C-alpha cells in the first residue's frame, strides 16, 4: 500500500527495531547512524505531510481511527502523531485562515485550492534514525523527508526541529509543510525531548516509531528508558505507584544544551541520504550547491538559532524562525524601549526565571482579568496565601489580584500578554514548563521527585494506572510535557496523600510553586534568604544547567529572521526575541544580519485563536512565519533584500466571540519592504527601540 513492505511491531511482538530495520532497508547502515527506517509514501494512499488524511482530514474533529486500540500499528501511530502535532500548532478553523491562507491545499504562491479536491498530499521518502554520537546511542530521533519533487540540480534543505517537547513530527505544520511544498528535503529532530514515556509501574517504553514494549526487550531501541536499577524502580513503585518518567524531564542529560548540535546533525543526515538517493546521477549534493535554511518555531526555532551560532562547518545559509525560545546572554550594553516608554534594563532573563515567577503569581493575577477568555482557574486562596506569606501587601482580594498582575508586568512581561495568560494557566502551561525544565536543567532523576512533583495517570484525582488503550497510543497523542495524554502533574505532598496538582490544595499547590521559584533563583522565594543544604545544591545544579543553554548572540553574519507575536505569553519578547535582537546588535554591530518582525495581535499558540473570545482579537502568527520563510528563500535564491526590522500592525477580526468573521488579507498585511518610519524597529546608542 505504501510503496515498500513494512513490518509492524506491537507490544505483543518481541522483535527489536534492528530486525524491523533489516526487513525494510535496501542499503547498509550509514557510518553515523546504526539503523535507518525507510518508507516511501505514494502521495495517494499515504503521504509525507498529512499521513494520507489530507487537508480536510487534519481539520476533522475526529482523530484517525486505530483498528486495534491496544495494538496500534506504526502507521496508525504515525498518522495520529501527525494529526495531533499539526493541529497543535495552527488554528485549523477555516475562518481563522486554515485552507485559505495556509494549509496543505494552499500552494507555495499562496493560491488556495479547493481542499475537497486538492488534499495537499505529498509523495516522497521518509527516513527515521536515532542519532549516534561517538560510540554510544543518544535518545534523539532524526527524520528526513525527501519529496518526490526534490530537484538535485536546485537543491534545498529546511531544518524542522520539534517545537515544545514534541516528538519528531512536532514541526510538521510549520517548517515541514513549507519545505515539502517547495521541494526541499526537510531535516527533523526531536532534539532529545519528544515523547519518551516510561511507565515505571509496568516497565514499558516507546520504541522510535512509538510502539509500546517491555523496557528490557526494548534495550537500545527504546526511545527513552529512565536510568534506574530494577531494585530502585521496585522501591519507587512501592513508595509512589503508577508513575511515569518522561524524556525531556528525566533523561538527566539536559537535552537543551545540545539542541543546536542536534539540528546540525540532522542536516548532515539529510546530506548523507540525499547523496545516497541520487548517487547514480553523478551529482554530489553538498553545502556548495544546496540552500540550507534553519527554521521551525518556539523551542524548534531556538534550536535552529543555536545551530547557526555553533555552525563551524558553515552548513547553514539562512535562519528564519517563529517565536524562538532563545535564552540570550545578558548584556548591560543595551536596554529595550517600547513606544518611548521607560527603558527596560533587566531583559534577557532565562525561561526558568520568568516562568517560575508567573507560576507563583498567575493564579491570583487571573482575578484581575475577569473578562479574559477561558479564565477558569483563578484562585482566591492563592491570593490570600501569597499575602499571608508576605509576598503581597494588599489586604483585599481585588487589590491582591491587581498587585500580582503588577508584579508580573513590572518584571518585564508585557501588558499585551495579560489577556492570554489566564487560558495558559488553565491549560497548565506555566506549571508544566516550570516542573519539566527545572528537572531537565538540574539533570534530576525521576527518583528525586523534585519539589514533590511527579507524573501519573489519575482516577478521582489520585494517581492510578493509565488506561491501556491510552498508553498504547501515547506516542501519537502526547506533547512530551505533562500534563499530557491524560498523564497528570501530581503533588506528592498533598494533605491526605498524593493528588492531581491543581486540586491538591485550595491554593493550587502554592508550596510547590514557591519551591520551584526558590530553586530557580537560589533564594528562598518567601524570605529572600540564600538557600542552604539540599535546596542550595539543587539550585546550583539548575543554575549550571541554565548556563549550558545560554545563547551567545553571534550569528556569524548569517542572514536571519525572527518573527514574534507581541502578545506572546509563553516566551515574552523582552526576554527572548527582543533581547536576542539587542544582543546580536551588540555582538555583531553594524554587521548584524538579524531582521526582527514583531506582529501585533499575535500570540504564541495559534490553535488558541480558534477559541471563542480569542477568535475576535488574535490573528495567526503562522501567516508571518510563512512570509519569513518566503523572504529568506527569495533572498538566498535570488538575492532579494530582506525588509528592515519592523512592527507589523495587524487588524483583529472583531465580531462576536465564537462567531468572528472570516479572516481576510486586510487583517494580516504583509511584512513591508519599506515600512513607515514609525513602524521601524531599530538599534541605536545601546537601545532597542520598538514602536507601539
Amino acid at each position: 500500500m505504501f510503496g515498500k513492505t513494512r513490518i509492524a511491531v506491537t507490544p505483543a511482538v518481541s522483535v527489536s527495531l534492528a530486525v524491523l530495520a533489516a526487513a525494510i532497508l535496501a542499503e547498509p547502515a550509514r557510518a553515523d547512524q546504526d539503523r535507518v527506517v525507510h518508507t516511501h509514501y505514494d502521495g495517494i494512499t499515504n503521504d509525507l505531510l498529512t499521513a494520507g488524511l489530507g487537508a480536510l482530514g487534519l481539520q476533522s474533529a475526529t482523530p484517525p481511527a486505530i483498528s486495534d486500540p491496544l495494538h496500534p500499528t506504526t502507521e496508525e501511530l504515525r498518522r495520529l502523531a501527525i494529526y495531533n502535532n499539526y493541529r497543535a500548532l495552527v488554528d485549523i478553523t477555516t475562518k481563522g485562515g486554515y485552507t485559505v491562507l495556509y494549509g496543505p491545499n494552499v500552494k507555495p504562491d499562496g493560491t488556495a485550492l479547493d481542499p475537497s479536491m486538492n488534499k495537499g498530499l505529498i509523495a516522497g521518502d521518509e527516513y527515521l534514525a536515532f542519532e549516534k554520537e561517538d560510540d554510544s546511542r543518544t535518545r534523539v530521533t532524526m527524520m528526513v523527508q525527501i519529496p518526490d519533487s526534490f530537484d538535485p540540480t536546485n537543491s534545498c534543505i529546511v531544518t524542522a526541529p520539534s517545537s515544545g517537547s514534541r516528538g519528531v513530527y512536532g514541526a510538521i505544520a510549520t517548517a515541514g509543510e513549507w519545505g515539502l511544498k517547495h521541494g526541499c528535503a526537510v531535516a527533523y529532530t526531536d532534539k532529545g525531548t519528544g515523547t519518551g514515556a516510561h511507565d515505571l509501574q509496568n516497565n514499558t517504553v516507546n520504541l522510535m516509531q512509538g510502539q509500546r514494549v517491555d523496557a528490557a526487550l526494548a534495550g537500545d531501541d527504546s526511545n527513552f528508558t529512565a536510568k534506574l536499577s530494577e531494585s530502585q524502580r521496585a522501591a519507587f513503585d512501592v513508595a509512589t505507584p503508577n508513575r511515569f518518567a518522561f524524556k525531556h524531564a528525566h533523561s538527566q542529560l539536559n537535552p537543551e544544551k545540545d539542541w543546536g548540535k542536534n539540528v546540525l546533525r540532522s542536516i548532515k543526515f539529510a546530506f548523507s541520504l540525499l547523496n545516497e538517493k541520487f548517487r547514480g546521477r553523478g551529482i554530489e549534493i553538498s553545502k556548495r550547491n544546496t540552500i540550507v535554511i534553519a527554521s521551525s518555531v518556539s523551542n524548534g526555532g531556538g534550536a535552529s538559532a543555536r545551530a547557526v551560532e555553533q555552525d563551524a562547518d558553515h552548513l547553514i545559509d539562512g535562519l528564519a524562525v517563529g517565536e524562538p525560545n532563545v535564552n540570550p546572554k545578558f548584556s548591560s550594553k543595551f536596554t529595550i524601549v517600547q513606544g518611548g516608554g521607560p527603558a527596560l534594563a533587566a531583559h534577557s532573563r532565562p525561561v526558568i526565571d520568568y516562568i517560575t515567577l508567573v507560576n507563583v503569581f498567575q493564579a491570583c493575577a487571573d482575578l484581575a482579568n475577569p473578562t479574559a477568555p477561558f479564565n477558569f482557574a483563578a484562585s482566591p486562596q492563592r491570593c490570600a496565601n501569597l499575602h499571608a506569606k508576605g509576598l503581597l501587601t494588599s489586604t483585599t482580594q481585588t487589590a491582591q489580584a491587581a498587585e500580582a498582575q503588577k508584579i508580573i508586568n513590572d518584571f518585564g512581561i508585557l501588558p499585551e500578554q495579560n489577556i492570554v495568560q489566564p487560558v495558559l494557566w488553565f491549560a497548565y502551561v506555566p506549571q508544566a514548563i516550570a516542573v519539566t525544565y527545572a528537572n531537565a536543567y538540574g539533570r534530576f532523576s525521576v527518583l528525586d521527585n523534585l519539589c514533590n512533583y511527579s507524573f501519573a495517570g489519575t482516577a478521582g484525582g489520585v494517581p492510578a494506572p493509565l488506561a491501556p488503550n491510552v498508553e498504547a497510543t501515547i506516542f501519537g497523542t502526547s506533547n512530551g510535557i505533562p500534563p499530557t495524554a491524560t498523564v497528570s502533574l501530581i503533588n506528592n505532598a498533598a494533605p491526605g496523600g498524593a493528588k492531581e496538582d491543581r486540586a491538591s490544595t485550595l491554593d493550587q499547590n502554592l508550596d510547590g510553586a514557591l519551591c520551584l521559584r526558590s530553586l530557580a533563583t537560589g533564594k528562598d522565594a518567601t524570605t529572600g534568604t540564600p538557600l542552604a543544604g539540599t535546596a542550595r545544591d539543587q539550585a546550583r545544579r539548575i543554575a549550571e544547567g541554565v548556563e549550558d543553554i545560554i545563547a551567545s548572540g553571534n550569528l556569524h553574519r548569517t542572514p536571519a529572521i525572527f518573527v514574534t507575536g507581541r502578545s506572546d505569553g509563553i516566551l515574552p519578547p523582552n526576554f527572548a526575541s527582543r533581547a536576542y535582537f539587542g544582543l546580536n546588535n551588540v555582538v555583531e554591530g553594524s554587521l548584524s544580519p538579524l531582521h526582527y518582525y514583531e506582529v501585533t495581535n499575535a500570540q504564541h499558540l495559534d490553535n488558541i485563536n480558534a477559541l471563542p473570545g480569542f477568535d475576535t482579537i488574535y490573528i495567526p502568527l503562522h501567516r508571518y512565519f510563512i512570509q519569513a520563510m518566503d523572504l529568506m528563500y527569495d533572498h538566498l535564491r535570488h538575492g532579494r533584500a530582506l525588509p528592515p526590522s519592523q512592527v507589523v500592525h495587524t487588524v483583529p477580526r472583531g465580531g462576536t466571540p465564537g462567531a468572528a468573521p472570516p479572516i481576510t488579507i486586510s487583517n494580516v498585511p504583509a511584512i513591508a519592504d519599506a515600512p513607515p518610519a514609525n513602524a521601524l524597529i531599530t538599534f541605536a546608542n545601546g537601545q532597542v527601540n520598538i514602536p507601539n
Side-chain angles (χ1 to χ4, degrees):
M1 180 181 292
F2 306 114
K4 283 188 180 290
T5 301
R6 296 181 57 79
I7 298 174
V9 179
T10 71
V13 181
S14 59
V15 58
S16 77
L17 192 61
V19 176
L20 172 66
I24 295 174
L25 280 177
E27 297 285 348
R30 290 148 194 85
D32 57 345
Q33 279 80 43
D34 278 342
R35 295 179 286 275
V36 180
V37 177
H38 171 211
T39 309
H40 182 268
Y41 294 101
D42 58 18
I44 301 171
T45 59
N46 205 338
D47 78 306
L48 297 177
L49 178 59
T50 77
L53 296 169
L56 296 183
L58 290 173
Q59 191 179 40
S60 172
T62 303
I66 304 294
S67 55
D68 180 349
L70 296 181
H71 306 104
T73 68
T74 56
E75 280 301 332
E76 289 173 333
L77 289 169
R78 175 183 184 269
R79 185 173 295 115
L80 190 60
I82 289 176
Y83 172 84
N84 283 307
N85 279 287
Y86 199 103
R87 294 166 59 87
L89 295 186
V90 300
D91 177 357
I92 50 84
T93 63
T94 303
K95 284 186 174 182
Y98 182 73
T99 71
V100 178
L101 297 177
Y102 54 87
N105 65 300
V106 179
K107 295 171 63 177
D109 65 3
T111 302
L113 304 175
D114 181 347
S116 64
M117 301 293 293
N118 299 275
K119 297 180 179 181
L121 275 61
I122 297 176
D125 293 287
E126 182 172 291
Y127 304 84
L128 284 162
F130 282 131
E131 269 190 15
K132 186 183 179 189
E133 183 181 6
D134 300 324
D135 293 324
S136 62
R137 181 185 298 282
T138 66
R139 296 305 188 266
V140 176
T141 304
M142 297 184 297
M143 178 174 72
V144 173
Q145 292 182 324
I146 305 174
D148 285 355
S149 60
F150 182 89
D151 178 3
T153 66
N154 202 30
S155 180
C156 54
I157 297 173
V158 172
T159 74
S162 63
S163 66
S165 303
R166 296 184 175 277
V168 77
Y169 294 98
I172 195 84
T174 54
E177 179 177 292
W178 190 96
L180 293 173
K181 285 182 178 179
H182 288 76
C184 300
V186 183
Y188 301 81
T189 174
D190 76 354
K191 61 192 193 324
T193 59
T195 294
H198 185 177
D199 178 343
L200 298 171
Q201 190 76 44
N202 297 307
N203 202 28
T204 59
V205 297
N206 292 114
L207 299 183
M208 185 174 66
Q209 293 178 281
Q211 315 95 305
R212 297 294 297 181
V213 300
D214 182 272
L217 291 175
D220 285 344
D221 292 330
S222 169
N223 189 19
F224 164 68
T225 301
K227 296 179 180 178
L228 308 176
S229 68
E230 275 303 298
S231 60
Q232 286 177 319
R233 186 177 66 83
F236 185 79
D237 289 342
V238 170
T240 50
N242 301 310
R243 298 308 202 271
F244 277 75
F246 269 70
K247 184 162 69 167
H248 190 175
H250 299 129
S251 69
Q252 299 181 257
L253 295 173
N254 188 13
E256 189 174 342
K257 69 179 175 56
D258 293 322
W259 285 357
K261 294 177 182 177
N262 298 145
V263 173
L264 293 170
R265 289 171 188 149
S266 74
I267 296 171
K268 292 177 180 179
F269 185 38
F271 274 122
S272 171
L273 292 167
L274 287 168
N275 278 299
E276 285 193 17
K277 182 177 176 65
F278 297 103
R279 181 182 297 151
R281 300 195 188 184
I283 300 172
E284 180 187 2
I285 299 173
S286 70
K287 62 184 180 182
R288 292 182 294 276
N289 56 16
T290 302
I291 288 177
V292 178
I293 302 176
S295 186
S296 194
V297 302
S298 193
N299 281 358
S304 280
R306 294 300 308 282
V308 174
E309 291 184 349
Q310 299 166 5
D311 186 16
D313 294 324
H314 307 292
L315 298 172
I316 299 169
D317 299 294
L319 172 72
V321 295
E323 55 199 8
N325 177 15
V326 283
N327 292 266
K329 179 181 179 181
F330 175 78
S331 171
S332 62
K333 294 181 179 179
F334 72 94
T335 59
I336 299 173
V337 173
Q338 179 181 329
L344 176 69
H347 50 71
S348 307
R349 298 179 187 269
V351 166
I352 196 66
D353 189 0
Y354 57 78
I355 206 70
T356 53
L357 177 102
V358 170
N359 194 36
V360 168
F361 290 100
Q362 189 61 53
C364 178
D366 281 357
L367 294 165
N369 296 283
T371 61
F374 289 78
N375 189 349
F376 299 148
S379 173
Q381 193 64 47
R382 175 68 67 97
C383 291
N385 287 5
L386 285 169
H387 172 71
K389 292 178 181 292
L391 295 173
L392 295 175
T393 60
S394 303
T395 56
T396 68
Q397 180 180 294
T398 298
Q400 288 165 355
E403 184 181 352
Q405 185 65 75
K406 186 175 186 299
I407 288 171
I408 291 172
N409 293 138
D410 287 351
F411 197 72
I413 295 174
L414 300 176
E416 287 90 341
Q417 294 151 50
N418 293 355
I419 195 72
V420 76
Q421 291 284 17
V423 73
L424 297 178
W425 181 257
F426 173 62
Y428 290 92
V429 173
Q431 304 95 312
I433 295 174
V435 172
T436 285
Y437 284 55
N439 273 281
Y441 291 147
R443 303 188 189 212
F444 292 107
S445 164
V446 67
L447 300 177
D448 290 312
N449 286 319
L450 189 68
C451 290
N452 290 309
Y453 286 105
S454 62
F455 303 147
T458 59
V462 300
L466 214 58
N469 63 312
V470 172
E471 185 164 334
T473 59
I474 197 168
F475 176 85
T477 58
S478 169
N479 62 16
I481 181 169
T484 183
T486 77
V487 176
S488 297
L489 193 60
I490 301 297
N491 176 8
N492 292 342
K499 295 183 180 69
E500 187 278 327
D501 185 55
R502 176 174 288 158
S504 64
T505 65
L506 291 177
D507 63 8
Q508 299 184 17
N509 192 12
L510 174 58
D511 286 344
L514 290 172
C515 174
L516 292 169
R517 181 67 181 151
S518 299
L519 297 184
T521 63
K523 298 179 181 179
D524 186 287
T526 302
T527 66
T529 58
L531 298 177
T534 299
R536 178 190 59 199
D537 294 339
Q538 291 174 334
R540 174 187 52 77
R541 288 172 61 175
I542 290 173
E544 290 173 352
V546 170
E547 281 300 310
D548 287 340
I549 58 93
I550 295 298
S552 70
N554 190 349
L555 296 172
H556 308 289
R557 306 184 191 178
T558 304
I561 296 174
F562 280 14
V563 175
T564 292
R566 178 168 290 178
S567 299
D568 193 326
I570 298 177
L571 300 172
N574 281 334
F575 305 137
S577 293
R578 288 180 178 180
Y580 193 96
F581 177 76
L583 179 63
N584 178 255
N585 273 273
V586 167
V587 171
E588 300 198 67
S590 61
L591 298 176
S592 168
L594 179 56
H595 297 71
Y596 175 44
Y597 308 132
E598 187 169 295
V599 182
T600 64
N601 307 305
Q603 48 84 35
H604 195 85
L605 298 173
D606 273 4
N607 63 341
I608 287 176
N609 298 355
L611 299 175
F614 294 118
D615 56 344
T616 59
I617 61 176
Y618 290 132
I619 57 87
L621 185 66
H622 183 55
R623 152 85 170 167
Y624 293 97
F625 169 80
I626 294 170
Q627 286 189 48
M629 292 294 291
D630 290 343
L631 289 168
M632 182 55 66
Y633 185 78
D634 205 12
H635 174 69
L636 296 174
R637 183 69 77 189
H638 305 296
R640 175 186 171 183
L642 295 173
S645 298
Q646 60 190 271
V647 173
V648 182
H649 292 98
T650 64
V651 180
R653 292 156 59 194
T656 303
I663 197 167
T664 68
I665 292 296
S666 63
N667 297 113
V668 284
I671 298 166
D673 286 320
N678 63 1
L680 287 172
I681 294 174
T682 60
F683 184 90
N685 301 316
Q687 196 168 88
V688 175
N689 293 286
I690 309 286
N692 279 328

